[in-house]
Amino acid sequence: MRKIIHLDMDCFYAAIELRENPALRGRPVAVGGANRRGVVTTCNYEARRFGVRSAMPGFEASKRCPGLIFLPVRFGLYREESAKIRSILLGYTSLVEPVSLDEAYLDVTGLGRFAWDIAKELRARIRAATSLTSSAGIAPNKMLAKIASEWRKPDGQFAILPDQIEEFMKALPINKISGVGPKNAEKLINMGFRTCGDLQRHRLGEMIQRFGRWGKELYYLCRGQDDRPVQPNRTRKSMSTERTYSENLTSPEACRIAIDALIAELESDLKHKASQRQIRKAFVKLRFSDFRRTTRECVTPHPSKELFHELLGEAYARRTGHVRLLGVGVRFNEQIEPSPQNLMLL
Ligand code: TTP
Ligand code: MG
């Protein structure tokens, strides 16, 4: 049985900005979203009380919360704080997997201490070093640890013990499962699945029949089973861009037009973030409105736009239907030495 901690900083960007501008404490504050087209990256609890949320356009946020104070985003500063936090975590174990600037998984199985105490201690250290509060979830796997870290937010921690999992999962709403976003959640609910307990009533074969390959993942996740390892210092194995469309793409032509924007984005990312890496394969990924997914890939050191179009054509021919997600990407050759930058995602 593993012991996993999921650590998540509270209102991360906003908390840093408030530390830097203490005069704003107690007032509703959003980071980002000040200009016409921008969105709020995050906000403090005072603003959340008015219904302001991450990814909300600025105009919507100020409608909901008239006195809202918008601050500019300062990624450099957030990265510095993130690096301090990361080094505190690495003081406990090298099995640290950063997920974003403010979030990481730790596998503390082998440390011979109560995970609860480790979480308490590392949160106190983070607070001492940065004056920022964080929350932690403790559980036998990543999915449950992440769910648990939200439970006592802000500045708290919660553990899900092995013998509580069965009971806990039965009542858990399906949108808490890893990989079930708002749209999939809505569809599942329309199909009569509201809780993980509802999903558990179906056998593995039925799940696969209904949801394709994803059905297999769901089968285990809805039972609270998740054996994904904590992956430290991960060097990128691949790079991709993908988009979920609010209106399904209903023809090969619509897919071709949409994929060009993704290819351009991928090219720019490759140039800026992976210019030294050798490409081994290119792939195209499709997800259909009925949950089916398909991927086509081929070996190539230099993927061209024409090649992606070809892969798209093949993928589309395999299963025709309404496409709700398109992705393009590349897989890299193994890298021998992980560079220091790889320690820090972003
Ligand atoms: P979260 O952990 O999702 O949010 P949070 O830390 O601000 O708040 P909470 O207390 O609920 O954990 O995301 C971490 C940071 O990532 C957040 O401070 C800003 C950034 N972010 C975005 O830029 N866009 C987004 O849509 C989200 C969700 C987060
Ligand atoms: Mg957070």
Side-chain angles (χ1 to χ4, degrees), residues 6 8-16 31 39-45 48 53-56 73 75 78 100-103 133 135 146 149-150 153-155 346:
H6 178 255
D8 192 304
M9 302 301 296
D10 302 323
C11 312
F12 189 50
Y13 301 175
I16 296 173
V31 180
V39 295
V40 169
T41 63
T42 190
C43 60
N44 63 356
Y45 284 90
R48 289 182 197 192
R53 294 284 177 273
S54 294
M56 185 178 275
V73 185
F75 282 113
Y78 314 149
S100 66
L101 288 182
D102 94 317
E103 200 184 319
T133 65
S135 301
K146 185 169 168 89
S149 70
E150 279 182 31
K153 225 171 211 313
D155 200 15
L346 288 188

Side-chain angles (χ1 to χ4, degrees), residues 97 142 228-241 266 270 273-274 276-283 297-298 300 303 328-339 342 345:
E97 178 180 335
K142 283 162 82 170
R228 289 172 301 162
V230 171
Q231 291 179 303
N233 295 356
R234 66 179 170 203
T235 29
R236 267 182 192 290
K237 292 201 175 94
S238 65
M239 183 175 267
S240 63
T241 26
L266 177 68
L270 284 169
K273 299 182 198 153
Q276 314 90 326
R277 300 294 302 275
Q278 286 177 331
I279 293 171
R280 186 168 54 89
K281 277 183 169 180
F283 65 88
E297 57 180 52
C298 72
T300 170
V328 295
V330 297
R331 301 188 205 289
F332 298 117
N333 276 325
E334 291 290 317
Q335 200 179 35
I336 322 293
E337 283 293 298
S339 65
N342 286 327
L345 277 181

Side-chain angles (χ1 to χ4, degrees), residues 52-118:
V52 180
R53 294 284 177 273
S54 294
M56 185 178 275
F59 69 85
E60 171 74 29
S62 46
K63 218 166 32 185
R64 292 195 182 196
C65 178
L68 186 63
I69 297 162
F70 289 97
L71 299 175
V73 185
R74 294 192 279 176
F75 282 113
L77 178 59
Y78 314 149
R79 273 197 204 104
E80 280 171 31
E81 295 310 301
S82 180
K84 284 184 207 160
I85 295 162
R86 188 100 10 108
S87 70
I88 292 172
L89 302 184
L90 287 167
Y92 287 83
T93 172
S94 59
L95 290 177
V96 175
E97 178 180 335
V99 182
S100 66
L101 288 182
D102 94 317
E103 200 184 319
Y105 292 100
L106 288 83
D107 186 331
V108 298
T109 312
L111 299 188
R113 290 180 59 191
F114 288 120
W116 181 266
D117 297 341
I118 297 173

